[in-house]
Amino acid sequence: MSRRLVWSVLVGAAAVGVAVSLVLTLVVGSGDDKDEPSVAASATPTSGVSQQSDPEPAPTEETVSPSVTGPELPAGYEEYEDAEGFRIAIPEGWSRSTVDSQFGIAVVNYRSADSERRLQVYQVAEESPDASFELYLSEATAKPDGFQQLSLQNLDDAGFTGSRLEYLADSIRGEPDIGTWHVYDERFVALDGNIYAIAAYGPDADGRDDELELLTTALDWFCPPIGSCDPASVD
């Protein structure tokens, strides 16, 4: 079953029992925040949603332990039940850290051992994915050094609401100097009616397919904190 079909079924079910407040004020980077959700009470986005404030709180880091439920995952990935309540699929052996947010769940970062690849998950404060990106791309929101937008796609389709931004950056705050960064940032309405962002980061030098795979695999397995999602499946 494709991710689009899963969302179509799940979002319809959620509408019956979930009254959603889309008064979202979250994570977009502000000031020197080049990439972490700066969670101000009113909104300031960055690579994903409104993001964390300066100075950045010290993240809590740990090694992730996989969950053992659900269908077969792509090679090299494991299903993970995060302490923030959501389910996701991440590459095996990655570490996890969090940053406090003033809106919704904490900002969760998963990183490869060399810190050259990252997957970020957080909750969006704006009223829609498109509104969140409009704010992020406006002059009111600080961007990473060398920010270059490659594309912005509206992905709304048969019960799924979301948009995806692709961009390059010379540097990402708090991350190693690897040359040009390549980023996919998707913001979408989940089963619980809330808006989340999942962003995949990696070096542009090795091609862009790996960030897309990282993003789409995470999205295919994502289930919000509301709880019961059907088992994920690969397209």
Side-chain angles (χ1 to χ4, degrees):
M1 182 185 297
S2 71
R3 176 164 65 89
R4 292 287 180 273
L5 182 54
V6 170
W7 281 125
S8 180
V9 174
L10 297 182
V11 172
V16 177
V18 179
V20 179
S21 169
L22 293 181
V23 182
L24 309 171
T25 307
L26 163 71
V27 223
V28 164
S30 65
D32 290 331
D33 272 351
K34 312 288 192 227
D35 181 60
E36 297 294 333
S38 129
V39 180
S42 232
T44 353
T46 164
S47 75
V49 183
S50 306
Q51 301 202 11
Q52 54 197 74
S53 52
D54 243 344
E56 176 180 334
T60 310
E61 228 173 275
E62 61 212 53
T63 300
V64 299
S65 300
S67 158
V68 290
T69 61
E72 183 179 357
L73 289 155
Y77 284 81
E78 61 191 16
E79 182 180 332
Y80 182 65
E81 300 289 344
D82 195 271
E84 290 299 314
F86 60 83
R87 180 192 69 193
I88 198 167
I90 60 176
E92 295 173 349
W94 280 29
S95 63
R96 175 186 183 274
S97 64
T98 61
V99 176
D100 290 339
S101 170
Q102 293 176 15
F103 179 85
I105 65 173
V107 179
V108 180
N109 292 295
Y110 303 101
R111 289 183 176 86
S112 60
D114 58 10
S115 295
E116 292 188 355
R117 298 179 68 204
R118 180 176 74 166
L119 189 67
Q120 185 179 76
V121 183
Y122 48 92
Q123 197 170 334
V124 178
E126 291 72 51
E127 67 272 16
S128 70
D130 285 344
S132 183
F133 279 127
E134 181 178 357
L135 176 58
Y136 177 61
L137 294 172
S138 72
E139 293 183 358
T141 301
K143 314 291 190 302
D145 290 338
F147 176 86
Q148 179 187 346
Q149 179 180 335
L150 298 179
S151 66
L152 177 61
Q153 296 177 279
N154 180 286
L155 304 174
D156 294 357
D157 178 38
F160 177 81
T161 301
S163 293
R164 181 184 298 171
L165 173 68
E166 181 183 10
Y167 66 89
L168 301 177
D170 291 341
S171 63
I172 299 293
R173 191 172 74 86
E175 302 300 329
D177 180 5
I178 61 168
T180 302
W181 285 85
H182 175 241
V183 183
Y184 278 112
D185 177 352
E186 185 161 334
R187 307 177 192 189
F188 57 95
V189 179
L191 173 62
D192 59 358
N194 292 316
I195 302 175
Y196 296 88
I198 298 180
Y201 304 76
D204 189 50
D206 65 357
R208 300 172 180 176
D209 290 344
D210 49 351
E211 284 82 54
L212 184 59
E213 177 188 273
L214 181 61
L215 175 70
T216 55
T217 302
L219 288 164
D220 282 339
W221 259 260
F222 183 78
C223 180
I226 191 174
S228 60
C229 289
D230 292 335
S233 60
V234 183
D235 290 340

